[in-house]
Amino acid sequence: MFNRNRYLPPLAVIASISMVTGCGVFSSDASDDADPIVVGTTSTPSTLDPAAAWDSSWELMRNVFQPLLGYSPGGSDPEPDAAESCEFTDSSSKVYSCTLREGLKFSNGHALDAKAVKYSFDRIKKINVNGGPAGLLTTLSRVQVKGDREVVFHLSQPDATFPLVLTTPAMSIVDPADYPADKLREGTEITGSGPYDLASYDEGKTAELVGNENYKGLADRKNSAITIEYFQQSDEMVNALKNKDISVIYRGLGASDIVDIQTNHDENGLQIVENPTTEISYLVFNPKDPWAKNPAVRKAVAQVLDRPALAHNIYKDTVEPLYSMIPSGLVGHTTGFFDDYGNPSATKAKSILTEAGINETVPLTLWYTTDRYGSQTKPAFEELKRQLEASGLFEVKLKSRPWKTYSEGYRKGEYPVFGRGWNPDFNDADNFIAPFVGEQNALGTPYKSPEITDKLLPESRAESDRGAVTEEFEEAQQILVDDARLIPLWQGKSYTAANEEIAGLENVIDPATMMIMWNLSWKTSW
């Protein structure tokens, strides 16, 4: 199992990263004639272009694109992938230089050089998709090319987290010949340099991956091909696993499915691996909505919500109640929402509304996605509706959409209150604060908080010892508690299930809780 504290890499490791012997170029004994391993998931991509992706699309991108830095199976510290080495070259953490491996190629045979790296970063910032990954590059001032293999990132301020940003699939390197500089690529093709090529893609149904023979990086592929099948309902996915129509499940298992597999795995011929993660679920309040923009309404909601009941009755204790946006296991975690609101109380909530001059029943519309976070999402929102209406203070409507249109809707600011999950881009407390604040953020709803964006985050990023930033993140979290614009609900765990003939489950989840599919293999083949 992963140790959550291992996710906090000391800067001594981050600041100077060189190629590790044995992790080098691609090598695999995978048989070319082996059947593809079929992986089921509810994590359907909303886009195939890294410049637009700050969501579940990363699950696919992790395996077909290549960033400068990545993670080895079971590892928690960034290692070179497309890069041969990376390091800060100044004393203030404002200049970060990477040297590429020799002979890198894209899946179409085109050379991958320093100019392609600069092009990839420049287009993210130029296209600047609302709610897209440009929000991860707020400290990047410019990218400089030195020769064919060296890339230098100049930052506007010290940022000790920048090497962690480089591990994310959003920072994947794309071929300038196939990806327009000023707009997103259309269609269902991908030109990457990762361990796999995307052989075919049927949106919302399947993605067929085959080994990329041009790949040079840290991945040691254990299979020759992967087929990903996308499901809308977890029960359908579990039935497919039991019937051996698929071999592995990741992302989207329902609580009852998890309990069933844990209890009856021997009888069903299945295996399941549990990993603690820093995945969180939370509610977002849209400041454009006349009710959701009112602090008293948000605080009254926070006062009524019963997280333990949600975790136990709906999720069967496969999740834990969460009282801050920074999850347990990371520096800066607090229990601010419990400290300020205590146990659920309709009486206290009514006082909050009355003091703000609200004496009528508050109408709220809560939105959720039907096919992203598992089959428990609908009953979870039904439970939230029940809790709020049982207080006598709220009248709640529930609405939902599939993820692709759902994500488009929240980026356009269409939802008064909506549910989101967050799997970290990288496991540092910064990534549970920075993506949610500022004029442009991952939620598509502007959240101006100068104290956080102009003071606390810059102060924390200037600190090379990531364990020494507790005070800054505790202050930032208290601001979030006082605003109640974001209300945390629960912290999850990662569950991967598979048939007995599959090996490698213990090391297929990276620190950002994405599946690195190259570590899966058939037991009979090894």
Side-chain angles (χ1 to χ4, degrees), residues 176-397:
D178 287 345
Y179 290 80
D182 56 357
K183 64 179 181 179
L184 299 176
R185 181 178 181 176
E186 299 178 352
T188 59
E189 295 183 350
I190 281 176
T191 306
S193 59
Y196 297 95
D197 293 339
L198 181 64
S200 67
Y201 181 74
D202 188 353
E203 184 175 342
K205 295 181 179 179
T206 60
E208 295 184 1
L209 313 185
V210 296
N212 176 12
E213 299 307 322
N214 290 323
Y215 174 70
K216 291 184 178 182
L218 64 82
D220 181 11
R221 187 166 48 82
K222 302 296 186 183
N223 57 70
S224 60
I226 293 284
T227 296
I228 305 172
E229 292 197 6
Y230 298 108
F231 291 82
Q232 293 191 353
Q233 300 297 328
S234 61
D235 55 350
E236 296 175 359
M237 188 166 57
V238 171
N239 287 335
L241 180 68
K242 291 179 178 180
N243 294 331
K244 295 194 173 183
D245 295 324
I246 63 175
S247 298
V248 182
I249 286 179
Y250 178 62
R251 192 76 70 195
L253 278 170
S256 57
D257 301 319
I258 293 168
V259 172
D260 176 62
I261 295 174
Q262 288 174 328
T263 305
N264 303 304
H265 59 91
D266 289 335
E267 178 184 341
N268 294 329
L270 302 177
Q271 55 180 316
I272 188 166
V273 174
E274 172 191 320
N275 293 306
T277 73
T278 49
E279 173 189 3
I280 67 171
S281 177
Y282 57 99
L283 293 177
V284 183
F285 288 77
N286 188 344
K288 295 180 182 179
D289 181 78
W291 287 104
K293 73 178 183 181
N294 191 316
V297 170
R298 302 194 299 262
K299 292 178 180 181
V301 171
Q303 183 62 73
V304 167
L305 292 183
D306 189 338
R307 294 171 180 82
L310 183 68
H312 179 71
N313 297 334
I314 305 302
Y315 288 96
K316 314 299 181 186
D317 299 316
T318 60
V319 304
E320 299 174 357
L322 182 64
Y323 297 94
S324 72
M325 289 301 289
I326 296 178
S328 173
L330 293 182
V331 166
H333 168 71
T334 67
T335 55
F337 274 90
F338 184 81
D339 298 339
D340 281 27
Y341 295 98
N343 292 318
S345 171
T347 301
K348 291 181 180 179
K350 184 176 182 178
S351 296
I352 293 172
L353 293 173
T354 301
E355 289 176 6
I358 301 174
N359 297 300
E360 59 190 292
T361 302
V362 176
L364 287 178
T365 301
L366 273 59
W367 282 81
Y368 64 92
T369 180
T370 58
D371 58 354
R372 172 67 178 99
Y373 303 119
S375 59
Q376 248 59 45
T377 304
K378 180 180 179 181
F381 272 76
E382 290 172 343
E383 170 66 10
L384 294 177
K385 171 182 167 70
R386 185 197 66 77
Q387 292 180 10
L388 292 172
E389 292 188 336
S391 71
L393 304 173
F394 300 94
E395 181 179 349
V396 179
K397 292 182 180 179

